[in-house]
Amino acid sequence: METTMTFEYAPAPESRAIVTIKPKYGHFIGGKFVSGSKHFPTINPATEEVLSQIALAGKADVDAAVKAARKAYVTTWSKMSGKERGKYLYRIARIMQERAREFAVLETLDNGKPIRESRDTDIPLAAAHFFYHAGWADKLEFAGLGTSPKPLGVAGQIIPWNFPLLMLAWKVAPALAAGNTVVLKPAESTPLTALLFAEVCQQAELPAGVVNIITGDGTTGAMIVNHPGIDKIAFTGSTEVGKSIARAVAPTNKSVTLELGGKAANIVFDDAPIDETVEGIVNGIFFNQGHVCCAGSRLLLQENVAEEVLHKLKSRMEKLRVGDPMDKNTDVGAINSKEQLAKILKLAAVGDSEGAERWSPECKLPSKGFWFPPTIFTGVTQAHRIAREEIFGPVLSVLTFRTPQEAIEKANNTPFGLSAGIWSEKGSRTLWASQQLRAGVIWANTFNKFDPTSPFGGYKESGWGREGGRHGLAAYLKGVSHE
Ligand code: NDP
């Protein structure tokens, strides 16, 4: 007789005592915190608790931030040697490491992602971006980007809520290394780690005005985009807003990089190592609640292994722990906002009405906050909206294929092209498939692996330009091709 024993997990909560959240925040302009006139709340999406009141930047604040950034660019930062700039970047990186626990707790409280992810992924990677770019600051002439590379000037940077501190690092570190100054706006729902980063800039004694952080909503973002004192726009977010930015900057001299949406195919060939593949599928779509632009949200299974993969995937999903993001055992945390939850609910309902079959493991969701269980839809066809549109939540659409050629055709049948995954034990097949796929990042036998040395960016409606690596530096220098 087979006996099974199950162990209950004891709660393993991370303490929030390490962070001090002020009741109200202003903007960080010219090296100082200045108070705002209007405010809006930022909440913990896991509990709906109001964490703080955040300043809403209007035209005068945007003007002040751009002016401070220009002054710092002209008088200090563009004149400083790369070696000196590098020292500041190293200092910032080290302080971020020293204060990593504080950053991780704050990120989890404001964003809803599991503490395990903010602690082990977001914050270490953010620090790694500063270390990496610190190394480039005095070696730009040797990056193969021209013999005398010059910065662009003042960069306006607008970032989303899914990886708040990490997206800040992707934007600020290369800009500063290349000699630019910045005006950055974090997302409305996740401003707290950017404001803590402002304190780090003070602690590192970064010259005033090199980094300016203004908080606000989409209207503040649009003011940055349209400001005549800005030389470059770097944006990560939805394709829709990305298109509006492209239209706004088209008649200007502004440089632009856009990192937009995705609907990545994660392709499983029949020779794939199935157990590893199942881990990769789970990591591809349930990491960060699926709030990942490069999430493996379209699973393409070769028909002869589909049943086995789905069986193992479901039993793995039954073991995912959904709930309190501050618990160190939690795998899937809260949905970032009420609006995002509404979008996921709507698209999942479209999946039902279009005839796909929905499955979720049994899991008890907390009564307060915003939650959606890990979900898969089978019987999905290419015409279904859930196979075409970015859901940006823990929802996987499963399709099947018979031949490798069919897999490629289905994978490329999307307006996006940010990332893709290939699972196969044959190197030749992996190389063949990666050459056919129209995606900026292609992972083989892994998924959602990030490294500051590796360029990241999309084809088609997934965006323009690259971030990270040598290619990412090019986007902050004059006269260098961005691709
Ligand atoms: P947005 O593109 O609206 O937000 C991204 C950033 O841009 C935020 O800081 C936002 O401010 C700002 N912004 C909003 N409108 C404008 C504008 N007109 N001009 C300049 N900046 C603007 O994404 P959402 O948060 O609304 O998410 C909507 C969808 O976008 C998601 O459901 C998801 O599908 C996708 N998305 C994709 C991301 C990616 O990494 N590819 C990241 C985030 C979302 P504010 O937050 O204050 O509105």
Side-chain angles (χ1 to χ4, degrees):
M1 196 179 77
E2 196 184 316
T3 55
T4 53
M5 237 201 303
T6 53
F7 292 92
E8 283 304 316
Y9 280 79
E14 175 72 54
S15 161
R16 63 187 277 180
I18 195 163
V19 299
T20 312
I21 304 178
K22 296 181 192 135
K24 201 186 243 189
Y25 284 88
H27 307 293
F28 182 66
I29 298 176
K32 292 194 193 84
F33 281 94
V34 296
S35 44
S37 41
K38 285 191 196 156
H39 289 83
F40 60 90
T42 186
I43 64 166
N44 177 345
T47 59
E48 298 175 59
E49 171 203 2
V50 174
L51 295 170
S52 183
Q53 297 293 329
I54 304 301
L56 176 71
K59 188 172 176 309
D61 305 302
V62 179
D63 280 346
V66 174
K67 209 170 147 200
R70 176 65 57 192
K71 188 172 166 210
Y73 177 72
V74 174
T75 61
T76 321
W77 202 244
S78 66
K79 294 212 170 113
M80 196 181 275
S81 69
K83 193 172 157 199
E84 288 304 309
R85 286 201 309 274
K87 283 189 197 167
Y88 283 105
L89 289 171
Y90 276 123
R91 212 180 277 173
I92 290 173
R94 283 195 298 266
I95 299 172
M96 285 171 84
Q97 280 189 325
E98 277 163 23
R99 301 182 71 173
R101 188 150 158 254
E102 201 178 339
F103 271 112
V105 169
L106 198 56
E107 197 77 298
T108 285
L109 290 173
D110 206 16
N111 171 280
K113 64 174 72 202
I115 186 74
R116 193 164 50 80
E117 289 179 6
S118 48
R119 185 195 61 196
D120 298 348
T121 306
D122 294 59
I123 313 305
L125 267 177
H129 270 266
F130 278 94
F131 277 117
Y132 172 73
H133 287 97
W136 269 124
D138 64 347
K139 300 175 196 69
L140 294 174
E141 307 89 276
F142 311 107
L145 303 169
T147 48
S148 177
K150 296 274 179 304
L152 295 169
V154 177
Q157 308 187 316
I158 301 161
I159 56 171
W161 43 262
N162 53 344
F163 293 94
L165 187 72
L166 184 57
M167 289 301 103
L168 175 150
W170 279 31
K171 302 267 180 293
V172 174
L176 265 46
N180 304 270
T181 57
V182 308
V183 174
L184 177 130
K185 188 196 87 67
E188 201 177 332
S189 63
T190 54
L192 293 181
T193 46
L195 292 164
L196 182 58
F197 178 79
E199 282 179 30
V200 169
C201 293
Q202 285 182 324
Q203 204 181 333
E205 294 174 10
L206 187 71
V210 172
V211 168
N212 302 275
I213 293 173
I214 50 175
T215 47
D217 60 12
T219 56
T220 313
M223 282 179 213
I224 296 176
V225 170
N226 293 312
H227 200 288
I230 296 269
D231 301 299
K232 184 222 160 69
I233 293 294
F235 171 80
T236 297
S238 62
T239 296
E240 191 194 341
V241 174
K243 284 181 181 173
S244 79
I245 292 176
R247 278 192 293 271
V249 300
T252 73
N253 283 332
K254 288 173 191 161
S255 304
V256 65
T257 38
L258 302 172
E259 203 269 275
L260 311 175
K263 191 75 189 176
N266 203 1
I267 308 172
V268 180
F269 290 106
D270 59 7
D271 59 304
I274 302 292
D275 290 337
E276 270 171 67
T277 303
V278 167
E279 281 308 305
I281 296 168
V282 167
N283 176 40
I285 187 64
F286 302 122
F287 169 63
N288 202 32
Q289 297 71 244
H291 299 328
V292 184
C293 49
C294 52
S297 53
R298 272 188 307 150
L299 180 63
L300 295 181
L301 297 177
Q302 194 149 13
E303 228 171 64
N304 49 337
V305 290
E307 204 178 314
E308 182 187 355
V309 173
L310 282 172
H311 175 73
K312 289 192 166 171
L313 177 61
K314 286 180 179 175
S315 78
R316 177 68 183 85
M317 283 170 67
E318 275 163 352
K319 294 179 184 65
L320 289 174
R321 297 176 60 80
V322 185
D324 181 8
M326 289 290 277
D327 190 316
K328 290 172 212 157
N329 290 322
T330 292
D331 298 307
V332 181
I335 300 302
N336 179 252
S337 65
K338 200 174 178 178
E339 293 73 31
Q340 189 58 28
L341 178 60
K343 183 183 166 191
I344 299 169
L345 286 164
K346 189 172 148 205
L347 273 166
V350 169
D352 294 331
S353 66
E354 285 180 334
E357 196 179 318
R358 185 200 292 230
W359 183 88
S360 294
E362 274 204 21
C363 56
K364 203 161 158 267
L365 299 177
S367 56
K368 276 205 150 179
F370 316 123
W371 303 93
F372 196 89
T375 298
I376 55 175
F377 276 99
T378 49
V380 178
T381 74
Q382 296 187 82
H384 285 161
R385 274 180 68 190
I386 54 166
R388 288 185 287 122
E389 292 179 27
E390 187 177 45
I391 301 175
F392 224 63
V395 182
L396 179 66
S397 300
V398 185
L399 295 90
T400 57
F401 65 92
R402 286 188 183 164
T403 64
Q405 193 56 45
E406 187 189 342
I408 300 296
E409 276 166 25
K410 285 186 167 165
N412 286 338
N413 184 10
T414 165
F416 298 113
L418 195 52
S419 63
I422 301 166
W423 296 86
S424 167
E425 267 182 350
K426 284 199 184 78
S428 56
R429 178 174 275 175
T430 303
L431 288 173
W432 171 84
S434 58
Q435 279 167 353
Q436 315 292 314
L437 288 167
R438 299 276 298 157
V441 181
I442 299 170
W443 287 292
N445 294 336
T446 186
F447 211 95
N448 275 339
K449 279 267 183 292
F450 306 99
D451 191 291
T453 64
S454 170
F456 183 93
Y459 283 55
K460 303 192 272 186
E461 291 195 9
S462 289
W464 290 342
R466 296 290 177 265
E467 293 189 301
R470 215 173 51 80
H471 301 71
L473 274 177
Y476 285 95
L477 293 168
K478 266 188 194 143
V480 187
S481 163
H482 292 181
E483 286 299 320

